Amino acid sequence: MLRQNVRVVIIDNSGTSRRRNRAGIYASATLGCLALAVSAVLLLIVAPSRFDEGRDFNAARPCAAHGGDDCLRSVPGTVAEITTHDKPKGNDYYQLVFVEAGGQRRGVTFSGSPAEAPVASVGQDIELTYWRGQARFADYPSGRKYSQADPRDDYGAPMAWGLPAGIMGLYGMWSWLWWAKLSHLSRRRSPWQLWVPMLGCGVVAGVAGFAAMTAGSMGAAWLVTGASALVMLVVSPMIGLIAWWRQRGDDTVAMEPLVPTGERVFAGAVRGEIPYASHGAPLVAGPGFLAVSIEPAGALLHRQLPPSLAPVRVRPEYWTDPGAGLADKKTKPLVLECEDNGVPVFITADRKDLPWVLGALQSRALTAPAAARRP
């Protein structure tokens, strides 16, 4: 296993680290402030105004003679035409053309299907009720149906966006603080100090969005959000403690080399201030050699890594590593730290492929170098 006789190598990536650190600071601060601004507008302006409109609608009473727009004005008429619109994910709606007793035609939109109770059909006599210039509901012989202009729960949509935006904005500000002041605590690409709060904020944001659409009132949505936040304030430190315990101490990953019996082509990257660096081309491991492909398929042209390349240790990815991770986000990459005549070299590959890299490097001492391949 590659844990014996490990030398400590001090790698100076200060310039790259500072650039990546600044990128994290700027991105977190920008996204956090933007999310908080959006949340403030939705929660302090849009949602309260829509809540007030719904409250006014619930308090409205039928109009007396010559009443204004703030009363409920009911108009009898007949359904002249129905147009249905089938949408994915159950967002169907239909448009109803209503002809008043005086011959005036008006269009009204309802969610769902006209076949749903109360059933709507052409030629049916109904009564349409207006409030503040819009048709709010229709009374059918079999019951009442509210139109898409129903203002009673309109506050739910801005709250369903505003609450999660505010919560994730707070996470963005924590991320900014971590990158600006605390990033020296961990060099891992995904430190627990970031992903544990992100997990907690994500759970609370999901609960808040769901509560805003289903709780029945603004107060209930805030209450459910606050309760979920308190729960995560208890659970998140426990998860963080477990993550800290697992990541404490030396982060070297024990790994047994596997010597390939034939050529194996897989995704990887070789980075560092070396002429054979690769950024996206696959790696090729074989008996007695490790190479970088110089064509995307990895089947023809290879550039072998020099025999002076010596493995040091396997570890997780660091945010200070040069370059980005692997293009395929489904992989679980690890980094093999190497040296080439004192120059740091980083070989990144998926956890299941890195043993072949180690085996190919170690087998060079036992196998004659493979001849360079030609197309």
Side-chain angles (χ1 to χ4, degrees):
M1 289 191 305
L2 197 70
R3 286 194 70 125
Q4 300 174 354
N5 300 323
V6 174
R7 295 180 295 114
V8 177
V9 180
I10 299 176
I11 299 173
D12 184 11
N13 280 331
S14 56
T16 302
S17 302
R18 284 193 295 269
R19 287 192 296 271
R20 293 173 68 85
N21 191 287
R22 285 197 298 269
I25 292 173
Y26 297 152
S28 299
T30 301
L31 294 177
C33 290
L34 181 62
L36 288 175
V38 170
S39 176
V41 171
L42 292 174
L43 295 180
L44 300 180
I45 299 176
V46 180
S49 66
R50 293 191 180 183
F51 179 80
D52 291 342
E53 185 180 27
R55 182 183 56 191
D56 293 344
F57 175 73
N58 288 328
R61 295 292 179 265
C63 293
H66 309 293
D69 280 346
D70 269 341
C71 60
L72 302 177
R73 183 172 61 89
S74 299
V75 179
T78 304
V79 178
E81 182 182 338
I82 297 176
T83 303
T84 60
H85 299 269
D86 297 330
K87 296 292 182 180
K89 300 181 180 180
N91 295 321
D92 301 344
Y93 67 96
Y94 63 96
Q95 293 174 306
L96 180 150
V97 176
F98 174 78
V99 181
E100 297 180 2
Q104 187 175 3
R105 298 170 66 91
R106 297 180 182 272
V108 188
T109 302
F110 295 88
S111 299
S113 167
E116 298 173 355
V119 177
S121 59
V122 175
Q124 191 176 39
D125 292 331
I126 64 172
E127 189 174 72
L128 203 61
T129 298
Y130 293 87
W131 182 72
R132 292 184 180 177
Q134 296 188 59
R136 306 295 179 166
F137 59 85
D139 285 313
Y140 296 85
S142 57
R144 175 171 293 180
K145 176 83 171 183
Y146 284 88
S147 73
Q148 289 190 345
D150 177 14
R152 293 175 301 168
D153 298 326
D154 275 358
Y155 66 87
M159 285 198 71
W161 286 98
L163 285 172
I167 294 165
M168 298 314 296
L170 292 176
Y171 168 75
M173 301 313 294
W174 162 252
S175 179
W176 164 77
L177 176 64
W178 190 89
W179 283 110
K181 301 295 184 181
L182 305 173
S183 57
H184 64 278
L185 297 176
S186 176
R187 291 184 295 171
R188 288 177 179 257
R189 188 178 293 274
S190 298
W192 67 266
Q193 293 93 337
L194 288 183
W195 70 256
V196 171
M198 182 175 66
L199 176 64
C201 288
V203 170
V204 176
V207 172
F210 180 77
M213 299 300 294
T214 60
S217 68
M218 290 182 64
W222 280 106
L223 183 62
V224 172
T225 301
S228 64
L230 289 176
V231 171
M232 291 312 300
L233 284 175
V234 175
V235 174
S236 293
M238 298 179 183
I239 299 175
L241 183 61
I242 295 172
W244 168 80
W245 182 263
R246 295 184 62 181
Q247 295 182 7
R248 75 193 191 286
D250 183 19
D251 60 0
T252 299
V253 177
M255 183 169 290
E256 292 285 353
L258 295 176
V259 179
T261 56
E263 289 189 359
R264 305 184 70 94
V265 181
F266 47 85
V270 181
R271 298 186 175 96
E273 297 181 2
I274 30 94
Y276 49 88
S278 72
H279 302 278
L283 301 180
V284 183
F289 77 94
L290 179 66
V292 174
S293 174
I294 55 178
E295 51 92 19
L300 297 176
L301 300 177
H302 300 168
R303 176 187 295 162
Q304 293 193 34
L305 273 59
S308 55
L309 186 65
V312 177
R313 69 171 186 138
V314 178
R315 60 162 174 79
E317 287 188 296
Y318 290 165
W319 62 265
T320 56
D321 289 339
L326 298 180
D328 187 359
K329 300 305 180 183
K330 296 181 180 179
T331 59
K332 298 179 179 179
L334 292 174
V335 174
L336 174 61
E337 287 185 359
C338 302
E339 273 192 329
D340 187 353
N341 293 321
V343 178
V345 179
F346 307 91
I347 301 177
T348 305
D350 188 66
R351 179 184 292 269
K352 63 180 176 58
D353 296 322
L354 205 55
W356 301 112
V357 175
L358 287 170
L361 290 174
Q362 293 191 5
S363 66
R364 292 179 306 178
L366 304 176
T367 308
R373 296 179 57 85
R374 300 182 182 274

